[in-house]
Amino acid sequence: MIITIVGGTGLVGQGIFKELAQVADYELHSLSRNGKSKDNLVEPVLYHSANLNETGD
């Protein structure tokens, strides 16, 4: 199962990832403005950077 958390580098997102990382069947993705910006990142989460404020105009 693939799980993506928007804002995954925040306090709540990291706590959720720590629990989910204990389940081997999950592919974990974090989507945030800065990608890997913190030191307390959870393995094996894949961190992605994205700007969700951009418009397609």
Side-chain angles (χ1 to χ4, degrees), residues 21 45 57:
V45 177
D57 299 337

Side-chain angles (χ1 to χ4, degrees), residues 5 9 11 19 23-24 31 36-37 43 45 47-48 51 56-57:
I5 296 178
T9 56
L11 179 66
E19 293 299 318
V23 180
L31 188 62
K36 288 185 180 182
S37 63
E43 295 294 331
V45 177
Y47 291 88
H48 307 279
N51 183 352
D57 299 337

Side-chain angles (χ1 to χ4, degrees), residues 33 50-56:
R33 283 179 274 166
N51 183 352
L52 301 178
N53 293 324
E54 290 182 5
T55 60

Side-chain angles (χ1 to χ4, degrees), residues 21 27 34 46 54 57:
E27 181 179 320
N34 299 320
L46 300 170
E54 290 182 5
D57 299 337

Side-chain angles (χ1 to χ4, degrees), residues 4 15 17-18 22 27 32 37 43 50 52:
T4 302
F17 278 138
K18 285 178 185 175
Q22 298 176 21
E27 181 179 320
S32 64
S37 63
E43 295 294 331
L52 301 178

